[in-house]
Amino acid sequence: MRLSEITNDNKPYIRVTKDNRRIEIPLKLTTVKVERPTSYYLGFEPIRFKWQGKVVAIDWSFKDARPSLYCTKDKKAYMWDNVKVVTAKENGKKFGLVLTQIDIGVECERRRFKRTKISEPVEITQDGVSIKGEAINISFGGVGIKLRHSDVFTNDTPILINFTNKETTFPIRIVRTMILDEENQLLGCSISTKYKYEIAKILSLDEAKENTEKNSKTNENQSNSDSGWNQKEIKRWH
């Protein structure tokens, strides 16, 4: 996929890693024209969001990080690595630019399991600290958790998630953090396949049966650590 082909329908976002945290920031594209460009570029509307209690802009806030650009097309994911994110101005109006040295993106990892939308209250706990949130999607490979902005949780150690209405608890690990708005964030977490039966309790019976039969052979051959976590199976998103 070429950079010039990306539209808002491809759901582009910037992934950055800073202070041992990985977050993903969605972009709203806009049409811009750069005279005599030295790089391939993509224009987007200025972004400001909360980071560690402050309202910040993406360009200067992550100047020491190495951002990557991601998008999807025809159920495939594409990546432009080590891009630059800057702020420019045209006719007195500010806009953002993603700059990259390559035009064609590299196809990257895709989901291994079907994702199902849900709305379940959860409580997540790490190192004795608990916060309530909402699970908004789940699969046999991971779960998406919506909660208010918090710097409490890290991807260094597993998190215990409790589905309060299902009386189901198991460990998960943060793979990415996505900014939803000024108040909320989305934690994308991976789940060990050891807990497929716990996930089956949360999914509908038909959905659980279909996914269990489809992935049972694969799951039986996967090795897990004593804690039920296989580091080699961590994915970009479930």
Side-chain angles (χ1 to χ4, degrees):
M1 183 176 187
R2 293 184 179 277
L3 198 72
S4 58
E5 297 175 341
I6 300 178
T7 68
N8 286 317
D9 291 337
N10 301 121
K11 299 181 180 179
Y13 61 89
I14 291 291
R15 171 187 286 178
V16 293
T17 302
K18 185 177 175 67
D19 299 333
N20 294 322
R21 289 188 61 197
R22 176 187 293 175
I23 70 170
E24 294 179 357
I25 306 167
L27 303 180
K28 186 176 181 180
L29 303 186
T30 184
T31 302
V32 298
K33 184 177 181 180
V34 177
E35 296 184 2
R36 293 179 291 181
T38 57
S39 303
Y40 298 100
Y41 66 90
L42 192 67
F44 62 91
E45 295 184 4
I47 298 175
R48 298 183 70 83
F49 55 91
K50 281 189 178 181
W51 172 263
Q52 296 181 345
K54 299 179 180 179
V55 178
V56 298
I58 186 175
D59 55 348
W60 66 264
S61 301
F62 300 100
K63 61 183 179 180
D64 298 326
R66 291 184 176 271
S68 297
L69 171 68
Y70 287 85
C71 73
T72 57
K73 181 182 180 182
D74 299 330
K75 298 183 179 180
K76 296 181 180 180
Y78 295 90
M79 175 187 68
W80 288 258
D81 204 7
N82 293 334
V83 301
K84 291 183 179 180
V85 181
V86 300
T87 299
K89 183 181 291 187
E90 183 180 42
N91 298 326
K93 184 178 180 180
K94 288 185 177 181
F95 58 88
L97 282 178
V98 177
L99 305 176
T100 174
Q101 295 299 317
I102 61 172
D103 183 24
I104 300 178
V106 177
E107 186 176 347
C108 58
E109 211 164 24
R110 290 167 286 177
R111 293 187 180 97
R112 297 167 52 237
F113 303 98
K114 181 179 178 181
R115 182 174 60 176
T116 301
K117 291 183 179 180
I118 60 173
S119 179
E120 289 287 344
V122 296
E123 185 176 54
I124 55 177
T125 304
Q126 185 181 57
D127 297 331
V129 179
S130 298
I131 293 182
K132 293 182 178 180
E134 177 190 6
I136 61 174
N137 55 65
I138 194 170
S139 75
F140 277 94
V143 60
I145 306 168
K146 179 181 177 181
L147 71 163
R148 296 181 67 85
H149 285 296
S150 172
D151 298 324
V152 174
F153 301 108
T154 69
N155 55 6
D156 296 332
T157 58
I159 295 173
L160 196 65
I161 182 170
N162 177 25
F163 287 81
T164 53
N165 288 345
K166 303 292 185 179
E167 298 183 351
T168 301
T169 302
F170 50 84
I172 58 177
R173 188 184 291 269
I174 296 177
V175 176
R176 70 167 186 169
T177 304
M178 182 175 178
I179 306 298
L180 295 178
D181 50 47
E182 292 187 358
E183 300 295 332
N184 300 295
Q185 62 181 339
L186 176 68
L187 299 185
C189 303
S190 191
I191 305 172
S192 168
T193 53
K194 177 179 179 180
Y195 301 101
K196 60 184 179 181
Y197 298 110
E198 284 79 358
I199 300 171
K201 295 178 183 178
I202 301 165
L203 295 171
S204 66
L205 294 178
D206 292 340
E207 187 78 22
K209 182 178 179 181
E210 176 185 349
N211 282 280
T212 302
E213 291 176 351
K214 179 179 178 181
N215 299 299
S216 60
K217 186 174 181 181
T218 301
N219 293 343
E220 288 173 0
N221 294 330
Q222 289 179 338
S223 59
N224 290 279
S225 65
D226 292 339
S227 62
W229 188 260
N230 185 353
Q231 289 282 2
K232 294 182 180 179
E233 295 301 321
I234 293 179
K235 300 296 180 182
R236 180 180 70 84
W237 184 235
H238 61 282

